[in-house]
Amino acid sequence: MLQSVSGEETAMKKGVSIMERIYDYRKSTSAMIDSLEDHVYAKFRFNVEHRNLFLQFIPSMYYISKGPTEYIHESYMKVFLQDAYNYDIDTRVVSSTIRKNSRAMTPLVDFMSPHIYAVSLYDGHMLSPFNKHNRWYYRFNEKQLSDSTTWLEFRPRFYNTQLVNGYAIVETATGRIIMTTMNGEFDMITFRTHVQMDNEGGRALIPKRCSTVGTFKFMGNRISTVFDADYNCPISLPDSAGTLSSREMMNIIRPIPLTQKDQEVYEAYDSLQHAEELARQAEQADTTRHKKNLAKKIFWDTLGDNLIQPLEAESKDASIELSPIINPLYLSYSASRGVRYKMKLRMRYAWNQYRYLTLNPTFGYNFRQQQFYFTAPLRMTYNPKRNGYAEIVWGNGNPISNSSVKEALKEEYPDSIDFDDTDLDKFKDTYLQVFNNIMVFDWFDVETGIVYHHRKALDKATMQQYNMPTSYRSFAPVLGLKFLPWLNRGPLFAINYERAIKGVLESNLDYERWEFDAQWKKKIPGLRVLNLRAGAGLYTNTENYFLDYENFRDENLPEGWDDNWSGNFQLLSGSEYNRSDYYIRGNISYESPMVFGTWLPYLGKYIEKERFYLSGVQLSHSRPYYEFGYGFTNRYISLGLFASFRGHRFDGCGLQVDFELFKRW
């Protein structure tokens, strides 16, 4: 008989008791998973209920934006579990009715293995109700089902897309979760996930079977999906060079039979393929029409693939990926720097697991400056265990200032023109870096190399009119030292030294630069992060140089919320970075889900993480400069509001915006 726990207080006390057992079970069992190997079967079925023109512009949705309204995609994978929450997936066999065997609604892959015992269910998103650090966000009620099992209900204390509701069946004596059903919203998908957990040793921390029913809605498009994943499949496949596309093979290794609906989708696909083949054969009789239609099809397919979809190709030894040409994720705006857009290309070639070559160029354009930027690092990794690599980086930086040019002209031609209204101090910068890095000890890296800059004046005509050089070159050996005395449990300290040598490769600059930097990204339980950074830099030789620091610069190709916002100054003018012969800086940010913004009416539900900023820098030509900021991120955008001060006086305010929509798609 079902025995209800009477009274909220009694229920909460029992809830705490069973929750403590769940916490203890996870802690005692997590060490049992060590390099576990598994085979997983996954099946996705999609039903396009409503679609319009906008669907084809959503990443991973191009191939279902037209044609049939029902699709199926199956895959058989080999999974290597490093622990309960980190794993590598190698897809061995695939069978799909989606063109090119592409995946649609790629966030569904995360639903394959929710980490129910971890802080986050899906790789840094969705706070699990079964983790001790998240208990403040949930309310719990329990009912005794029998002497051996307990029914546990959980619901959020407030509505937010980072939280779920549902129930679980728990083994009362041990706290092992037998099964759970969770409802929530994840990255534009409303879902209901049912997880059946395994019961053997360390496998009890990972699912045995996971089923999800989801609905995606966006701008009039509506797509429903059913997704099933089965773990610990009995058939092992040998290692292969790539993924085999074969329905015949899938029919042999599939651990569970197809449903009647699955078979109907395959049958409709086969009929359509047969009809298209007959149409092609009939069309080929008219050679001219066939060539024209074929060219048109290739054109639109290529346009759709490369404009909307990332361009990807992979073999056993090599891979290439180009970000879509039209991609709002790489569009950003800030009050001080305007609108910027960028693209990424990623290429990799491996001789073996210890020797591989990567080329990862990034291109961008600043619309306010009307300036094209690029950086192209070519790296050969020869000893990954010791972080050993050699790298060549070619790129261009922000237009840089050389204040000594204007000062010299003012002294020599005091009554000529108002030099302050000219761009005589602005130069374009193209650079080449060649260096090698090696980890001498686990806590100590050494980087050695050279850097070569070629800076050309923007206003060449005026510079020539006043007999001033139109270009400057510098050649400098570089030494970098990185210290991690507490390994990954403490801050990283870095020292960078650069000394120019005149006469090498037409170098006409002489300078010496020192920089010191310390960074610590302290992760706090509950998806909270404390970012700390402090540093200083100075030039000890001031004979005709450009003030260009390595750790204190205007970022022309920013990386966004996760990589860039915490350690930079958002409102500081670009010219400020190149005017002082020293700097002393400090940056602090604190990030946490659901702090203040969560309580805002209507909007609070969608605020996933919030961040608070405090930054300051002392330069030789001005009073201390400070920035205070507040930011939040959600499924649509990341937004930061900043205010700056010089000394005690207000200096300005502005905002930073990056698009997050479909970032995980």
Side-chain angles (χ1 to χ4, degrees):
M1 175 183 282
L2 189 69
Q3 299 175 358
S4 254
V5 178
S6 59
E8 182 177 352
E9 183 178 354
T10 305
M12 286 301 294
K13 287 182 179 179
K14 288 204 169 191
V16 170
S17 174
I18 197 68
M19 292 309 299
E20 290 297 337
R21 294 177 190 178
I22 292 174
Y23 304 149
D24 292 341
Y25 183 82
R26 178 252 181 183
K27 186 177 181 180
S28 62
T29 312
S30 59
M32 297 184 183
I33 293 185
D34 184 15
S35 302
L36 184 68
E37 183 178 297
D38 203 357
H39 287 83
V40 181
Y41 165 78
K43 179 183 66 177
F44 305 81
R45 196 174 72 239
F46 304 95
N47 181 21
V48 184
E49 300 175 8
H50 301 287
R51 62 186 174 192
N52 55 40
L53 179 66
F54 295 105
L55 184 61
Q56 62 185 308
F57 294 100
I58 300 174
S60 80
M61 304 294 274
Y62 177 76
Y63 292 123
I64 66 173
S65 64
K66 52 188 176 182
T69 58
E70 293 183 310
Y71 299 86
I72 188 172
H73 182 100
E74 299 178 274
S75 57
Y76 198 87
M77 298 160 285
K78 189 173 184 179
V79 180
F80 303 90
L81 293 102
Q82 302 168 22
D83 53 48
Y85 315 120
N86 297 286
Y87 51 84
D88 298 317
I89 298 177
D90 183 12
T91 302
R92 296 300 174 84
V93 182
V94 64
S95 174
S96 178
T97 64
I98 304 175
R99 194 152 57 91
K100 296 186 178 182
N101 295 325
S102 297
R103 281 199 179 104
M105 294 173 65
T106 48
L108 287 176
V109 176
D110 291 320
F111 287 91
M112 186 176 71
S113 182
H115 308 312
I116 65 172
Y117 289 99
V119 173
S120 61
L121 290 168
Y122 308 119
D123 191 23
H125 299 274
M126 309 292 293
L127 297 171
S128 172
F130 307 111
N131 190 277
K132 186 174 184 178
H133 299 295
N134 301 333
R135 56 187 171 184
W136 183 86
Y137 300 113
Y138 289 95
R139 298 182 185 276
F140 301 94
N141 286 299
E142 69 178 74
K143 296 177 183 178
Q144 196 74 28
L145 296 178
S146 66
D147 292 339
S148 60
T149 59
T150 298
W151 182 86
L152 178 69
E153 180 190 25
F154 49 89
R155 64 185 188 276
R157 291 180 180 269
F158 45 82
Y159 290 107
N160 189 272
T161 55
Q162 287 280 70
L163 304 176
V164 296
N165 67 77
Y167 66 92
I169 306 299
V170 184
E171 192 174 68
T172 307
T174 64
R176 179 180 69 87
I177 297 173
I178 301 172
M179 59 79 63
T180 181
T181 296
M182 300 177 291
N183 307 284
E185 296 180 50
F186 176 67
D187 206 3
M188 313 295 292
I189 301 173
T190 302
F191 69 89
R192 180 180 180 87
T193 295
H194 179 81
V195 183
Q196 185 75 33
M197 301 298 291
D198 212 324
N199 59 0
E200 301 177 1
R203 283 187 175 275
L205 298 184
I206 59 179
K208 182 178 182 180
R209 180 175 174 81
C210 183
S211 300
T212 297
V213 177
T215 303
F216 167 75
K217 298 179 183 178
F218 182 73
M219 297 187 71
N221 295 281
R222 179 186 174 96
I223 299 173
S224 59
T225 181
V226 178
F227 165 51
D228 296 296
D230 283 79
Y231 282 72
N232 203 13
C233 296
I235 299 178
S236 298
L237 298 179
D239 293 340
S240 59
T243 302
L244 174 65
S245 176
S246 171
R247 195 191 308 176
E248 291 75 17
M249 177 62 74
M250 188 64 72
N251 290 336
I252 297 173
I253 63 178
R254 185 185 296 117
I256 56 175
L258 293 174
T259 65
Q260 180 63 33
K261 185 61 179 177
D262 297 335
Q263 294 176 8
E264 291 174 359
V265 175
Y266 269 126
E267 290 170 0
Y269 172 77
D270 292 339
S271 298
L272 181 61
Q273 291 294 104
H274 180 67
E276 290 180 350
E277 179 60 28
L278 292 177
R280 278 193 296 269
Q281 292 176 3
E283 184 184 277
Q284 287 176 354
D286 186 346
T287 307
T288 303
R289 187 168 70 112
H290 173 66
K291 290 182 178 180
K292 184 182 298 184
N293 290 340
L294 181 62
K296 184 186 297 184
K297 183 179 184 300
I298 293 174
F299 170 77
W300 285 111
D301 285 350
T302 303
L303 185 66
D305 286 353
N306 296 331
L307 282 180
I308 312 301
Q309 300 284 111
L311 176 64
E312 299 177 325
E314 186 175 0
S315 67
K316 181 180 179 181
D317 301 322
S319 64
I320 181 172
E321 179 180 352
L322 175 65
S323 61
I325 297 174
I326 299 176
N327 190 346
L329 299 179
Y330 293 141
L331 190 68
S332 64
Y333 168 82
S334 69
S336 59
R337 296 164 181 83
V339 178
R340 291 173 289 192
Y341 185 77
K342 68 179 180 181
M343 294 179 58
K344 293 182 177 181
L345 176 64
R346 299 292 180 257
M347 293 187 287
R348 187 177 191 271
Y349 177 81
W351 295 277
N352 52 54
Q353 59 180 328
Y354 305 109
R355 305 283 191 278
Y356 48 90
L357 191 70
T358 58
L359 176 62
N360 299 325
T362 301
F363 314 93
Y365 186 78
N366 187 299
F367 291 89
R368 177 179 294 177
Q369 299 175 352
Q370 297 183 353
Q371 176 76 30
F372 171 76
Y373 295 108
F374 72 91
T375 177
L378 176 64
R379 174 180 294 191
M380 186 189 73
T381 300
Y382 57 83
N383 189 346
K385 290 185 177 180
R386 306 305 300 175
N387 198 26
Y389 61 86
E391 188 168 58
I392 301 174
V393 183
W394 178 43
N396 67 341
N398 288 294
I400 189 170
S401 302
N402 184 343
S403 57
S404 62
V405 173
K406 278 188 178 181
E407 297 301 324
L409 289 173
K410 285 180 181 180
E411 291 183 9
E412 189 170 353
Y413 307 99
D415 301 323
S416 178
I417 61 173
D418 185 0
F419 292 102
D420 292 331
D421 292 333
T422 68
D423 288 331
L424 293 178
D425 61 337
K426 296 293 192 302
F427 290 77
K428 289 184 178 180
D429 180 20
T430 303
Y431 63 88
L432 181 70
Q433 296 176 330
V434 182
F435 58 90
N436 179 81
N437 187 91
I438 190 67
M439 181 192 296
V440 181
F441 306 106
D442 291 342
W443 51 270
F444 181 43
D445 276 40
V446 176
E447 181 180 283
T448 57
I450 61 161
V451 58
Y452 184 79
H453 286 269
H454 185 196
R455 298 178 172 99
K456 299 178 182 180
L458 292 180
D459 191 351
K460 289 185 178 181
T462 306
M463 293 287 283
Q464 291 172 346
Q465 177 183 346
Y466 289 97
N467 298 318
M468 295 293 293
T470 59
S471 69
Y472 292 86
R473 303 171 190 264
S474 65
F475 173 90
V478 177
L479 173 65
L481 307 176
K482 298 178 183 178
F483 304 88
L484 199 60
W486 297 278
L487 298 181
N488 294 323
R489 298 185 298 273
L492 169 68
F493 299 96
I495 301 175
N496 184 275
Y497 175 75
E498 187 174 315
R499 181 70 169 89
I501 303 175
K502 276 188 175 183
V504 180
L505 298 177
E506 302 181 23
S507 173
N508 54 1
L509 292 179
D510 183 19
Y511 65 84
E512 185 178 53
R513 174 171 58 81
W514 290 85
E515 283 191 82
F516 307 89
D517 195 57
Q519 301 182 45
W520 191 16
K521 189 173 186 177
K522 172 64 175 176
K523 293 186 177 181
I524 306 172
L527 296 184
R528 293 171 290 171
V529 179
L530 178 65
N531 289 287
L532 303 172
R533 186 172 187 181
L538 72 157
Y539 277 81
T540 56
N541 185 330
T542 58
E543 179 188 342
N544 192 24
Y545 58 81
F546 288 84
L547 300 170
D548 190 7
Y549 296 101
E550 183 70 22
N551 300 319
F552 178 64
R553 58 172 56 212
D554 186 17
E555 294 292 339
N556 47 59
L557 298 174
E559 290 298 323
W561 171 276
D562 291 331
D563 306 308
N564 174 257
W565 286 22
S566 290
N568 280 356
F569 296 86
Q570 302 299 327
L571 304 181
L572 191 63
S573 172
S575 61
E576 298 279 355
Y577 294 90
N578 311 124
R579 294 177 57 193
S580 176
D581 55 9
Y582 76 88
Y583 73 86
I584 303 173
R585 57 91 63 87
N587 304 80
I588 301 174
S589 73
Y590 174 73
E591 177 184 301
S592 176
M594 293 170 283
V595 185
F596 297 123
T598 304
W599 305 101
L600 293 175
Y602 305 109
L603 295 177
K605 176 182 178 181
Y606 300 101
I607 294 179
E608 297 178 357
K609 293 182 182 179
E610 298 173 78
R611 190 183 285 168
F612 304 88
Y613 304 86
L614 171 61
S615 302
V617 63
Q618 174 65 63
L619 304 172
S620 61
H621 59 275
S622 71
R623 290 168 294 173
Y625 175 87
Y626 303 100
E627 281 186 3
F628 300 88
Y630 165 80
F632 68 83
T633 185
N634 59 24
R635 65 180 71 174
Y636 302 107
I637 62 170
S638 292
L639 186 145
L641 302 173
F642 298 90
S644 61
F645 296 83
R646 290 191 185 273
H648 300 291
R649 297 185 61 181
F650 177 72
D651 190 61
C653 61
L655 58 86
Q656 171 80 24
V657 180
D658 282 343
F659 286 93
E660 303 289 339
L661 190 63
F662 303 118
K663 190 171 187 178
R664 291 180 291 271
W665 288 59

